[in-house]
Amino acid sequence: MKIFKMKRDNFRNYVSFMCLAMVTLGTVSSCTMYENPSPVFEEYETNTNSEIQRKVLVVSIDGVVGSEIEQAVPQTISKLIENGKYTWSGISEAKTNDASTWTSMVTGVSVDKHLVEDETFRALPDPNDPHSLPDFYPSLFYRLLEARPEYNTVAISPWSNLVNTLLIEAESRIIPENDVAVKDSAVFQLVNKDPEVMFVNFRSVLEAGVADGFSIENPSYLEAINVVDGYLAEIFEALENREAYEKEEWLVVVTSNHGGTGNSYGEGSLRERNTFSVYHHKNFESTELIPTFIEAPDFYQTGTNSYTAPVYEAANANDYDFDGTSMTVEFRLKRNAKYPWVGEPMIFGKTGRTSFQTKGKGWGVATQSNHLTFYAQLEDGTDIEFPFQGDIDDFQWHHFVLTFEVKENVFTLKLYNDGRLTKESSYDVENANAAKIQSTAPFFVGVRNSHNAGVLSRDDLNFGEIRIYDKALTADEVMESACLPFLDEESTNYNHLVGYWRLNTKVGDRFENTIESKSALVATSSLPLYSSMSSLVTPCNVDDDQNVIVGNVDLLSQIFYWLRIETKPDWALDGSVFLDQYEIEFVN
């Protein structure tokens, strides 16, 4: 077993010496994973209660699939969830290799930002700007050197690369030979030392999954989970028997970094991403977090041209005109950033228009200030413009529906927001042909590059669950659909779908259409398109406080919250705090 102890004041000198030594010996060409500045010791609010001190113990049992351990919850974890917020439906990074998932856990940002994908823990070049230095996203232990330099911090793992690279700023770094020794080291620290923050990492479950399969049907995988659970019991007993335990407020987190499928991991399937998490405190009430989540692409500007975003178009430009009978268009949208002026770009529809201010046939939706606006031009030349009610600047998911219908020479348009009718308008037409809405431009989704009064368009939007029907849904059917995170063949009106793109899986340069023989959505450029997983709030679960998605990036946010460390906007953390909604249970 290797133990490294580092005085905080010597950290910078140590790193400089090791870098110089490795370069001199020719073992590395560079020892900068990022442009890595020295910690700056800023002023932070300190804990004003000298009697009670908040502390954190994190245990990662690598390779545990949430849905598998749910079927055979071992004894110690069962005890922890009696006073815990827990989930079997946690979600890891889309890139489920060990380096990416661990880096997300301890930096609080996604792999799309930190760009770490292998065991060197070096950030890869930014594909949009390969000649620049990647942005630096410090680890938890680096942040603690800034915010709580007096803390005793500990990292224990048999994975030497993890400890000596990603977790190098921990004051005590311990590399045991196996999981038994990991347990012994953790118990020793709790009994004989006084850690404020300690990370403990077990790897034997991961090894069993790779050897024989990530399933409790595999006896060695199930046995490995139960053995590590026994180690966890000894660690927890040592924590509860600490002399100062009654004056300490411990947040104990037990989680996994990723799951697995078959006997592999590293890709983006749901089983590979499925983790579990238990956030335990002696005064917590037991609450299972059961998220409704959505995975969706983020259409925003990247690279050197900050006003060019990905756009995807239907492969067949003739699909999704309105033929003068009936039609419904449904989609989910979430805005992620507010720009001072977005140029009112067209973001969705079947039209050649690039912004709301331009002209053109077809139908489409544009962003206007804090809301969406619908536009259509009927075949008889009638222009229709109506805003959807509702504020999209809350940065939450919203559900939008528009229906077209012609009956007895009357064209009726209805707009819905989050299941609620917000606009209904009717127009007399000479016949059904006069009410057609057609354009030679293909159906598209994305942020179109355009000028509006000399200002380029700009926006940052997630789209999900685009559905087009050959009928006008009723108000009750719209509300039912608004509450469904996805549709399957048993869903009402599934047989009326003529276009359905879940947007949760991209194959090459396209999103396939769930409806057979219908158009895929194909990229119009080589710009990268990143996806993210987030909680989906619907009209049916808006008051459900159990609808919380727990991901790798959320760990750091809970730790900072627990330690009363104020996070700063320029840290650009991707995680969010959920423990604060339970303060009534543990704040005196």
Side-chain angles (χ1 to χ4, degrees):
M1 178 171 64
K2 298 179 181 178
I3 302 176
F4 300 88
K5 188 77 171 178
M6 184 186 307
K7 294 293 185 183
R8 299 175 185 86
D9 294 341
N10 291 337
F11 170 70
R12 193 184 319 169
N13 291 336
Y14 170 81
V15 174
S16 299
F17 171 78
M18 290 303 294
C19 285
L20 178 61
M22 287 187 289
V23 171
T24 301
L25 292 171
T27 56
V28 294
S29 58
S30 170
C31 54
T32 303
M33 290 176 291
Y34 299 96
E35 185 179 4
N36 190 355
S38 301
V40 177
F41 296 94
E42 303 177 13
E43 292 295 325
Y44 287 80
E45 181 183 355
T46 58
N47 187 355
T48 57
N49 189 340
S50 59
E51 296 298 318
I52 301 295
Q53 185 177 9
R54 288 190 173 184
K55 299 191 173 191
V56 176
L57 168 64
V58 177
V59 179
S60 178
I61 310 174
D62 290 0
V64 174
V65 182
S67 60
E68 293 297 318
I69 194 172
E70 179 184 16
Q71 300 175 57
V73 183
Q75 184 175 354
T76 308
I77 291 176
S78 292
K79 178 181 177 182
L80 290 175
I81 66 177
E82 291 176 2
N83 297 97
K85 312 303 176 185
Y86 66 98
T87 183
W88 314 116
S89 303
I91 292 293
S92 79
E93 284 291 341
K95 295 181 179 179
T96 57
N97 64 77
D98 292 323
S100 293
T101 53
W102 260 100
T103 304
S104 294
M105 287 169 63
V106 300
T107 63
V109 302
S110 68
V111 65
D112 294 337
K113 288 182 179 178
H114 64 64
L115 301 175
V116 171
E117 296 188 24
D118 62 42
E119 295 188 3
T120 66
F121 290 96
R122 294 177 182 272
L124 298 176
D126 186 339
N128 301 310
D129 193 3
H131 300 295
S132 67
L133 281 172
D135 291 332
F136 175 50
Y137 295 100
S139 73
L140 166 69
F141 295 110
Y142 186 106
R143 296 292 188 198
L144 292 177
L145 279 174
E146 294 181 322
R148 297 286 191 270
E150 74 280 7
Y151 272 12
N152 177 17
T153 59
V154 182
I156 307 172
S157 173
W159 185 13
S160 60
N161 276 25
L162 174 70
V163 174
N164 285 332
T165 310
L166 186 63
L167 309 182
I168 194 172
E169 294 96 351
E171 184 179 10
S172 297
R173 293 176 288 118
I174 304 169
I175 307 173
E177 293 183 0
N178 51 44
D179 278 5
V180 178
V182 167
K183 176 263 297 181
D184 292 339
S185 297
V187 169
F188 179 86
Q189 290 290 321
L190 290 169
V191 172
N192 299 287
K193 305 294 182 180
D194 192 24
E196 276 81 19
V197 176
M198 184 163 75
F199 268 59
V200 178
N201 174 220
F202 292 107
R203 303 275 291 176
S204 56
V205 175
L206 175 65
E207 293 166 0
V210 170
D212 298 305
F214 290 86
S215 168
I216 60 169
E217 299 300 317
N218 163 22
S220 64
Y221 186 75
L222 179 59
E223 180 183 6
I225 290 174
N226 287 322
V227 168
V228 171
D229 185 75
Y231 299 157
L232 186 59
E234 294 186 51
I235 293 171
F236 194 63
E237 181 181 8
L239 185 147
E240 289 187 311
N241 289 336
R242 284 172 56 82
E243 184 176 340
Y245 180 71
E246 293 304 318
K247 294 185 177 181
E248 297 172 335
E249 294 280 350
W250 281 92
L251 175 66
V252 178
V253 184
V254 183
T255 188
S256 54
N257 63 334
H258 59 72
T261 183
N263 37 352
S264 67
Y265 66 98
E267 301 299 324
S269 71
L270 186 57
R271 278 188 59 85
E272 289 168 287
R273 300 184 67 180
N274 180 208
T275 62
F276 85 102
S277 289
V278 180
Y279 285 77
H280 168 89
H281 176 262
K282 56 190 175 185
N283 292 331
F284 280 173
E285 296 178 5
S286 182
T287 304
E288 182 177 1
L289 307 178
I290 309 173
T292 300
F293 55 80
I294 182 170
E295 183 176 13
D298 192 353
F299 293 83
Y300 70 105
Q301 293 78 2
T302 60
T304 56
N305 185 349
S306 59
Y307 296 95
T308 300
V311 172
Y312 282 66
E313 294 180 346
N316 186 341
N318 296 319
D319 287 345
Y320 310 118
D321 286 321
F322 174 56
D323 66 1
T325 56
S326 59
M327 178 178 177
T328 297
V329 180
E330 174 186 13
F331 63 98
R332 297 190 187 275
L333 177 139
K334 179 169 73 77
R335 176 177 265 175
N336 300 305
K338 173 65 174 176
Y339 297 105
W341 181 258
V342 301
E344 301 180 347
M346 298 300 292
I347 61 168
F348 180 86
K350 192 177 189 305
T351 177
R353 298 177 67 179
T354 55
S355 81
F356 183 71
Q357 301 299 326
T358 58
K359 300 296 182 181
K361 290 188 173 184
W363 61 269
V365 177
T367 54
Q368 251 194 331
S369 185
N370 67 338
H371 62 270
L372 301 184
T373 294
F374 170 76
Y375 168 84
Q377 186 179 89
L378 303 187
E379 191 67 17
D380 65 6
T382 302
D383 286 320
I384 302 172
E385 296 179 1
F386 287 116
F388 285 91
Q389 294 180 11
D391 184 1
I392 62 172
D393 281 351
D394 61 357
F395 308 131
Q396 301 296 318
W397 279 102
H398 293 281
H399 178 262
F400 297 96
V401 170
L402 50 102
T403 67
F404 311 137
E405 189 169 33
V406 177
K407 287 185 176 179
E408 299 179 353
N409 294 342
V410 176
F411 170 78
T412 301
L413 166 71
K414 295 181 182 180
L415 305 182
Y416 296 82
N417 184 3
D418 293 329
R420 181 172 54 91
L421 180 66
T422 61
K423 181 66 180 180
E424 179 176 356
S425 187
S426 297
Y427 303 83
D428 292 330
V429 292
E430 184 176 347
N431 51 45
N433 286 333
K436 288 181 178 180
I437 308 176
Q438 302 180 108
S439 171
T440 57
F443 172 72
F444 82 98
V445 57
V447 182
R448 281 193 166 161
N449 192 4
S450 66
H451 284 79
N452 178 14
V455 179
L456 284 166
S457 60
R458 193 176 189 189
D459 221 321
D460 184 345
L461 308 167
N462 280 117
F463 279 92
E465 288 294 311
I466 299 173
R467 309 164 187 167
I468 300 179
Y469 305 79
D470 63 3
K471 65 169 284 188
L473 298 186
T474 66
D476 288 343
E477 289 171 333
V478 168
M479 177 58 78
E480 179 185 3
S481 192
C483 291
L484 295 174
F486 61 90
L487 303 184
D488 59 31
E489 293 183 358
E490 302 301 317
S491 300
T492 304
N493 292 311
Y494 190 89
N495 61 326
H496 286 282
L497 284 168
V498 293
Y500 181 20
W501 303 270
R502 293 203 60 194
L503 300 184
N504 61 339
T505 302
K506 185 163 71 75
V507 180
D509 65 346
R510 65 194 57 211
F511 292 99
E512 297 293 349
N513 199 324
T514 303
I515 307 306
E516 188 177 355
S517 77
K518 293 297 183 179
S519 288
L521 292 176
V522 183
T524 61
S525 72
S526 60
L527 289 172
L529 186 68
Y530 302 114
S531 290
S532 59
M533 191 82 73
S534 55
S535 294
L536 178 62
V537 177
T538 74
C540 299
N541 69 10
V542 65
D543 296 320
D544 183 2
D545 61 4
Q546 292 179 267
N547 182 27
V548 177
I549 187 168
V550 182
N552 297 119
V553 295
D554 296 308
L555 174 62
L556 222 62
S557 295
Q558 313 319 310
I559 293 174
F560 287 139
Y561 163 76
W562 190 257
L563 297 176
R564 301 187 179 97
I565 295 174
E566 181 183 358
T567 60
K568 301 184 182 302
D570 61 4
W571 292 4
L573 298 181
D574 290 323
S576 57
V577 177
F578 60 83
L579 288 179
D580 57 350
Q581 64 182 300
Y582 306 107
E583 284 187 349
I584 193 172
E585 299 174 14
F586 60 87
V587 174
N588 296 325

